[in-house]
Amino acid sequence: VGFIALIANEVGGLFVDPTSHGTGCGKALMDKANGLHSTLELDVFKANHIGRAFYRRYGFNQKSQSIHEATGQPLNRLIYAV
């Protein structure tokens, strides 16, 4: 119902089937990634309210902001450190 893509400590993507939101699947995937790396980083579009809320609840903090070159959309760089 979901998967996470990791490149070293970079979360390249976290996807959970919408019918499984709120079941703990996303948290379990992040817990696994966190068990592998003490620091995690990722980019999330500012317009992705669901993703940003999930990462905030998990404990990520904003590191920086930029503009996604291909789309011109605001992008937030987040970091999670134990």
Side-chain angles (χ1 to χ4, degrees):
V1 296
F3 75 91
I4 190 167
L6 288 175
I7 304 166
N9 73 324
E10 174 90 14
V11 178
L14 173 64
F15 300 95
V16 175
D17 185 299
T19 62
S20 294
H21 284 185
T23 64
C25 178
K27 182 182 181 310
L29 290 167
M30 289 303 302
D31 288 348
K32 178 65 175 176
N34 186 34
L36 297 171
H37 303 283
S38 60
T39 302
L40 297 171
E41 294 194 31
L42 58 88
D43 292 320
V44 62
F45 283 104
K46 186 175 181 179
N48 182 350
H49 300 290
I50 293 171
R52 287 182 27 238
F54 171 81
Y55 295 126
R56 187 178 327 108
R57 283 191 310 274
Y58 195 82
F60 278 83
N61 294 301
Q62 186 162 323
K63 182 177 178 181
S64 63
Q65 288 183 313
S66 63
I67 298 296
H68 186 253
E69 197 171 308
T71 64
Q73 297 296 310
L75 194 63
N76 294 338
R77 181 73 174 177
L78 305 181
I79 186 167
Y80 178 86
V82 178

